[in-house]
Amino acid sequence: MTWLIEPTLPEGWELVVGLEVHVELATATKLFCGCANQFGSEPNTNICPVCLGLPGSLPVINGTAVKYAMQLGRALQCEVGPSVMARKNYFYPDMPKDYQTTQYDQPTSFDGELMLADGFRVGVERAHIEEDTGKSTHVGGGGRINDAVHSLVDYNRAGVPLVEIVSHPCLDTIEHAKAYVSGLRDILLAIAVSDARMEEGSMRVDANVSVRPMGSEELRTRCELKNINSIRSMGRAIEYEALRQIDLYSNGESPRQETRHWDEAAGRSTPGRSKEDADDYRYFQEPDLVRLVPSAAEIATIDDAMPARPSARRTALRQLVPAASVSVDVIATLVDRGQDELAIAAIGEGADPEKVVTRLQHDLAVDDFSKITAGALADLIRMETTGELTATQVKQVLSEMVDTGGEPGPIAESRGFEAMPTDDLAGIVDQLIAEHPDEWTRFVGGDDGDRKKMQGFFTGEIMRSTRGQADGRAVAELLAQRSAG
Amino acid sequence: MTAIELSAAVRAGERSAVDVLDEHLARIEERDGEIHAFNLVTADLARSQAEAVDSAVAEGRDPGPLAGVPVAVKDNTCTRGIPTTCSSRILDGWLPPYNATVVDRLAAAGAVTIGKTNLDEFAMGSSTENSAFGPTRNPHDTSKVPGGSSGGSAAAVAAAFAPLAIGSDTGGSIRQPAALCGVVGAKPTYGAVSRYGLIAFASSLDQIGPFATTVADAAVLLESIGGHDPRDSTSIEAPAPSILDALDRGVDGLRVGVLTELAGGPGGVEGISPDVIARTTQAVAALEAAGAEVSEVSVPSATLGLSAYYLIAPAEASSNLSRYDGVRYGLRVDAPTTGEMNTASRSAGFGDEVKRRIMLGTYALSAGYYDAFYGKALKVRTLILRDFAAAYEKVDVLVTPTSPTTAFGFGDKTADPMAMYVNDVCTIPSNLSGHPAISVPFGVGDDGLPIGVQILGPAQSEPTIFSVAAVLEDVASKGGAR
Ligand SMILES: [Zn+2]
């Protein structure tokens, strides 16, 4: 995977980032009631006494949401065990009960990790279940709650199940932060528990950012960045914040611990609430719900159905391919595209590992490669290795295999890419040498420039007489052989 | 006539449900101006329900075990389209869009819901003096309180406005007014009756239960409203044991313990009046005479219940009552910002006792105080549960007074919250432990006002404690309680 050029911090400074990622679970119904969990409905149509927190209503937890949360926990290699719901108390108009039902000291999942493609380990502190709030639209003034003339509240989102994934403050570069979020999204999609769309808010990232002198172990005052709408936007927000903090330190000042609101259009963040007068959320166990106690069998079922993690898939492919010849990025690209299984199977059929990986990387950047079987791919690579097909021909055959799913042999034949045995090629080469003695003398005895020019001449002639079916490399080898002999 | 007799007469076509209703409405008309048991009499709804019962009988269908029996419902229990106020200004104008599970079950049993009864605001109190709509008076002596918080329901049954009533009990709010009004009241095992539609005071302690004039009537009502409800996650899934079937089993061979710390014993709670202790002792003697094996049982942590309760209940209440913020329903006092509107609405909408408990609970949960207050109270709760479990190894039931005194006068305890809180000292442990308890009238005090005796038992022991109460009821009816 290729990122934008990494912005570098001024020399001597190091970035410390921890990410809190909120993910909406793709359940049919909300976390505590039967209302539809649906994005984009008319305001206040997916609501009922429970998700409106009407007096006397009681929550009943959605078993599918709990299962999804446990699946996510296991995908992040977390411990998943008994957990309890808790109340986080604070007043906010879009929160119907004026407390959020969440998890506090006993989250569903904790102590996990996500391995990035370059081998960097991101520690996951916890992944807990909680309910989403409604959505406020502030009308008039500057569109923020403090100066709005009035506020409109849509409770469709209130009670939608979320998992909040909290990383350790261990991300040391913007590239790693981006790779982590992207890796999380891949996992969410792979286990199909969320559609993970940042632009629709079904995946939301808050970044806790601080900086410190390079090599230091301290954790300095951090700022929490909110309103980040894309991975790219997160990178910009972190960079802006890091530079802002370094600026302050360089001027002998210090940042305040605060929440900051990222303005993507303006490319800067503005201060929100100061965390010094932080709310006391008065957490306590939710008395309206009972303890969640998954059985060992439930966890085992989840583990059995778990698709292999990207990091494990990368390792599996990596082990089959010589490390020196193929880069980490290429392996990661194939895993991202979901082509690792095909590659491993083709290698298993005896195809040259390096060629398989290189060919897939360059010539199979397509969404749908489902028609290609490992056997057919292995045959194709074998034809390339033996020189039966030229590089150009291999590309064309592969492209047709994507569309039709045919076998490489018949496709090559139908296109007139007849196999050209090396003996035949040698005959043609010898004949050409005999027909062009002057050029041959220049090839054999000339300087480097002459030799290069004449190699071009002979190769061109051979390609013309074989209508492009000769393998360029085989031709070069034959010419070298004859000149040496 | 008892509810069982009324229902039998209605089901047999001997009496019409409409007549039964009219008779009760007439008594309400005559006397509720003075008693103020009801916040709202739902005469029209009741009439349509009574008519439906009568036509069912006429058509040969069985309307259910509570056929045509008027039932009063505490006004913290949601009734669709009918004001449900919690006796608070904060819910001004709010109409619940749904029925509490118990209200639906009453209707399914053929009951006629006659009105919504007064309570201490949000069920916080022991005298019904904390109602925003004025106090309820004790039908036995209108200069006295009926107890609380379900004072309206207790008074409604005592004044024969309804044979049955629904109450809620968080720290004694059914049993203490039942004792003070001379009726039967029970707090079932936590989870035995659905809380769906009960406006929460303290969710881990709240439990809906019955008021009746007889133990058997209370049993019929409890059986009608109890049982698993998927809408309440804390509802017990196992089927409830039948109470009525066990009601006449007697106490022969039953192990009865006197809970010394709550019955005037040494090292126990102080302030239980001598006449109350005398009636309790008499009740125990009556049980022994009926064949029970009586012993004294110590539950040392029972005396700590009051302190733990007054941290846990306010803590949960502070959270449960946050939603009354003026944004979506109920009272709104306009102000320039949302935060100021929240504050103005809550300041105007809540009464003093509710505000006191919200502050108490907020404080108990606050960072830096949690461990010393709420956290410690939870530990006491665990201790109480353990001590009761140990006690129930030795005995089948425990006996205590229900309330330390008979009904007291208006204003006697309002100036001193602690004096008021002590009223709940005998009833609170069952809420903390989640165990069932029943109060049964047993004689009168020196002032001639009713005294209640409380029977406690382990989880789901309703059949046992009700049968013990039935024995005491029988003794008292024969003049054995003096
Ligand atoms: Zn809903």
Side-chain angles (χ1 to χ4, degrees):
Chain A
M1 71 200 82
T2 318
W3 302 110
L4 298 173
I5 300 302
E6 170 78 352
T8 46
L9 300 188
E11 197 157 341
W13 290 95
E14 189 179 23
L15 189 61
V16 181
V17 176
L19 296 179
E20 293 169 10
V21 181
H22 286 86
V23 174
E24 283 183 2
L25 299 178
T27 52
T29 55
K30 293 187 181 182
L31 186 53
F32 300 124
C33 62
C35 290
N37 171 15
Q38 203 177 330
F39 179 80
S41 302
E42 277 291 298
N44 295 314
T45 52
N46 299 330
I47 52 169
C48 74
V50 174
C51 59
L52 280 182
L54 292 188
S57 66
L58 291 173
V60 176
I61 201 151
N62 179 337
T64 307
V66 176
K67 189 180 136 221
Y68 282 4
M70 294 196 296
Q71 279 178 292
L72 177 53
R74 295 302 285 176
L76 293 170
Q77 294 180 261
C78 289
E79 301 284 328
V80 172
S83 60
V84 298
M85 303 305 295
R87 292 188 185 175
K88 179 182 182 180
N89 294 286
Y90 63 102
F91 284 89
Y92 206 79
D94 63 19
M95 199 167 56
K97 297 169 294 190
D98 287 298
Y99 59 79
Q100 182 188 27
T101 307
T102 176
Q103 295 183 318
Y104 183 53
D105 52 357
Q106 295 178 70
T108 292
S109 310
F110 56 95
D111 278 354
E113 65 177 29
L114 195 154
M115 298 301 291
L116 304 185
D118 66 359
F120 187 85
R121 177 188 180 277
V122 184
V124 171
E125 187 187 314
R126 55 191 277 140
H128 64 256
I129 304 171
E130 62 185 26
E131 60 177 336
D132 210 342
T133 61
K135 209 165 183 174
S136 301
T137 311
H138 305 295
V139 184
R144 302 270 294 272
I145 189 166
N146 295 332
D147 52 6
V149 176
H150 59 267
S151 298
L152 304 171
V153 192
D154 175 8
Y155 292 105
N156 281 348
R157 205 182 64 181
V160 161
L162 298 176
V163 170
E164 180 179 349
I165 305 153
V166 182
S167 84
H168 286 290
C170 64
L171 293 157
D172 56 348
T173 63
I174 291 172
E175 184 172 326
H176 280 155
K178 286 175 163 179
Y180 169 68
V181 175
S182 165
L184 271 184
R185 193 175 53 193
D186 291 345
I187 286 175
L188 291 164
L189 296 176
I191 62 175
V193 300
S194 172
D195 54 17
R197 290 197 186 116
M198 284 186 84
E199 65 283 2
E200 284 185 6
S202 62
M203 183 170 177
R204 306 195 281 271
V205 180
D206 298 336
N208 286 301
V209 178
S210 65
V211 294
R212 64 186 172 199
M214 188 67 79
S216 154
E217 291 291 315
E218 65 178 322
L219 288 175
R220 293 193 169 188
T221 304
R222 65 175 191 272
C223 292
E224 186 180 10
L225 306 175
K226 288 190 174 287
N227 195 42
I228 293 168
N229 299 319
S230 66
I231 291 182
R232 185 173 166 275
S233 157
M234 177 185 74
R236 294 182 69 202
I238 294 174
E239 183 190 9
Y240 176 89
E241 179 59 21
L243 295 174
R244 189 186 72 85
Q245 290 183 16
I246 292 169
D247 229 39
L248 285 170
Y249 287 123
S250 306
N251 292 331
E253 298 169 56
S254 295
R256 302 193 309 155
Q257 187 165 339
E258 63 186 1
T259 299
R260 296 181 65 89
H261 187 86
W262 175 248
D263 183 339
E264 178 64 22
R268 63 190 174 86
S269 62
T270 50
R273 254 161 4 110
S274 161
K275 287 248 166 167
E276 275 148 23
D277 48 20
D279 280 316
D280 176 357
Y281 293 121
R282 293 173 284 120
Y283 285 98
F284 72 102
Q285 188 172 329
E286 166 60 91
D288 287 330
L289 292 166
V290 294
R291 204 171 155 79
L292 301 170
V293 186
S295 66
E298 275 176 274
I299 305 281
T301 308
I302 286 171
D303 287 349
D304 289 348
M306 186 69 68
R309 292 176 195 94
S311 59
R313 290 163 56 194
R314 288 192 292 260
T315 307
L317 182 53
R318 164 103 263 157
Q319 281 167 349
L320 298 176
V321 182
S325 57
V326 175
S327 80
V328 166
D329 282 356
V330 175
I331 299 284
T333 302
L334 295 197
V335 169
D336 284 351
R337 289 192 201 149
Q339 294 172 346
D340 49 321
E341 218 174 294
L342 178 62
I344 289 170
I347 293 167
E349 299 264 344
D352 177 71
E354 184 185 342
K355 279 208 169 58
V356 168
V357 167
T358 314
R359 193 49 73 202
L360 293 186
Q361 181 212 355
H362 290 307
D363 301 319
L364 205 58
V366 292
D367 289 336
D368 182 9
F369 51 88
S370 59
K371 289 187 176 144
I372 297 181
T373 66
L377 179 62
D379 284 347
L380 180 68
I381 300 299
R382 206 175 298 121
M383 290 166 84
E384 180 181 7
T385 313
T386 58
E388 282 173 63
L389 294 177
T390 67
T392 318
Q393 291 170 341
V394 167
K395 269 185 216 183
Q396 292 173 16
V397 172
L398 185 58
S399 150
E400 189 170 333
M401 284 163 67
V402 167
D403 294 336
T404 65
E407 294 293 322
I411 293 174
E413 204 172 333
S414 73
R415 289 180 171 240
F417 299 160
E418 285 143 26
M420 172 156 298
T422 318
D423 287 355
D424 293 5
L425 188 61
I428 294 170
V429 168
D430 289 342
Q431 194 186 334
L432 272 171
I433 292 172
E435 285 170 8
H436 300 92
D438 293 350
E439 286 83 357
W440 183 244
T441 309
R442 281 174 67 190
F443 178 79
V444 177
D447 58 20
D448 278 359
D450 266 354
R451 192 178 171 89
K452 216 172 205 173
K453 210 182 269 174
M454 286 306 108
Q455 171 147 6
F457 166 78
F458 280 109
T459 308
E461 285 298 306
I462 291 164
M463 287 297 172
R464 191 175 313 134
S465 66
T466 61
R467 299 191 317 278
Q469 286 174 36
D471 182 357
R473 205 184 302 170
V475 170
E477 271 171 26
L478 278 168
L479 289 172
Q481 245 176 45
R482 296 294 188 270
S483 72
Chain B
M1 254 181 150
T2 66
I4 290 176
E5 288 162 357
L6 268 180
S7 162
V10 169
R11 287 160 105 177
E14 292 159 12
R15 293 205 59 181
S16 102
V18 171
D19 283 350
V20 172
L21 172 65
D22 283 339
E23 185 185 302
H24 287 89
L25 286 175
R27 274 202 286 271
I28 292 170
E29 176 68 27
E30 184 190 333
R31 211 180 164 206
D32 198 44
E34 181 190 19
I35 302 293
H36 187 215
F38 288 97
N39 284 340
L40 181 71
V41 176
T42 52
D44 291 344
L45 171 71
R47 190 167 301 281
S48 68
Q49 289 173 330
E51 285 165 356
V53 167
D54 286 337
S55 19
V57 173
E59 290 161 18
R61 286 180 286 119
D62 182 3
L66 298 179
V69 179
V71 180
V73 177
K74 190 176 182 179
D75 202 14
N76 60 353
T77 311
C78 288
T79 40
R80 189 188 305 116
I82 294 167
T84 300
T85 68
C86 288
S87 289
S88 178
R89 299 274 176 214
I90 198 86
L91 278 166
D92 254 8
W94 182 60
L95 299 179
Y98 65 100
N99 276 337
T101 296
V102 293
V103 172
D104 281 340
R105 290 191 179 174
L106 285 174
V112 170
T113 43
I114 196 166
K116 306 294 293 284
T117 59
N118 197 14
L119 64 148
D120 284 300
E121 185 177 2
F122 280 97
M124 297 177 187
S126 308
S127 67
T128 317
E129 289 169 288
N130 295 331
S131 167
F133 310 130
T136 297
R137 296 180 178 278
N138 192 318
H140 292 273
D141 177 349
T142 53
S143 72
K144 307 288 188 194
V145 302
S149 67
S150 312
S153 288
V157 172
F161 296 158
L164 301 174
I166 296 292
S168 68
D169 189 316
T170 307
S173 280
I174 290 174
R175 292 159 288 158
Q176 184 258 15
L180 269 50
C181 289
V183 298
V184 176
K187 183 205 87 83
T189 304
Y190 186 77
V193 180
S194 170
R195 291 184 296 116
Y196 193 83
L198 170 67
I199 299 181
F201 159 17
S203 315
S204 77
L205 303 161
D206 295 343
Q207 191 57 203
I208 289 177
F211 282 101
T213 54
T214 67
V215 175
D217 276 4
V220 177
L221 179 53
L222 177 52
E223 287 193 354
S224 300
I225 59 174
H228 183 244
D229 178 10
R231 289 187 295 180
D232 175 358
S233 308
T234 62
S235 159
I236 296 170
E237 281 188 50
S242 169
I243 306 168
L244 277 173
D245 292 351
L247 213 51
D248 56 1
R249 70 157 73 135
V251 293
D252 194 25
L254 196 77
R255 297 172 302 164
V256 174
V258 180
L259 202 170
T260 52
E261 284 85 355
L262 299 180
V269 299
E270 289 168 14
I272 302 177
S273 72
D275 51 354
V276 170
I277 289 173
R279 286 307 151 268
T280 309
T281 310
Q282 240 172 14
V284 173
L287 293 175
E288 193 163 25
E293 294 168 20
V294 172
S295 61
E296 292 203 335
V297 176
S298 169
V299 182
S301 58
T303 57
L304 303 174
L306 192 74
S307 318
Y309 173 86
Y310 276 99
L311 291 167
I312 293 171
E316 292 183 17
S318 71
S319 174
N320 282 330
L321 272 62
S322 292
R323 69 191 69 191
Y324 308 106
D325 57 9
V327 173
R328 289 160 300 274
Y329 46 79
L331 184 75
R332 175 188 289 186
V333 177
D334 278 320
T337 68
T338 309
E340 286 162 12
M341 183 275 283
N342 292 156
T343 305
S345 302
R346 291 166 68 79
S347 298
F350 289 135
D352 287 348
E353 184 61 26
V354 171
K355 287 177 189 164
R356 180 179 296 123
R357 298 205 195 186
I358 289 173
M359 287 190 281
L360 200 65
T362 302
Y363 189 80
L365 286 172
S366 293
Y369 298 100
Y370 181 100
D371 289 340
F373 294 109
Y374 184 71
K376 200 167 221 169
L378 290 184
K379 286 187 183 136
V380 170
R381 188 174 190 176
T382 307
L383 194 65
I384 287 174
L385 199 55
R386 207 188 60 195
D387 283 0
F388 272 101
Y392 291 130
E393 298 274 306
K394 293 180 222 145
V395 294
D396 299 309
V397 298
L398 289 164
V399 178
T400 75
T402 306
S403 167
T405 64
T406 56
F408 45 92
F410 290 96
D412 281 3
K413 301 187 179 184
T414 44
D416 178 3
M418 280 313 294
M420 187 69 90
Y421 296 169
V422 166
N423 264 286
D424 304 329
V425 70
C426 297
T427 46
I428 276 172
S430 325
N431 297 87
L432 291 171
S433 68
H435 295 155
I438 184 169
S439 176
V440 60
F442 198 77
V444 294
D446 298 342
D447 52 9
L449 290 172
I451 284 176
V453 169
Q454 182 180 222
I455 322 295
L456 316 175
Q460 294 198 280
S461 65
E462 280 86 347
T464 308
I465 62 170
F466 273 64
S467 65
V468 174
V471 168
L472 292 180
E473 180 178 55
D474 188 48
V475 170
S477 74
K478 291 172 180 154
R482 270 180 298 251

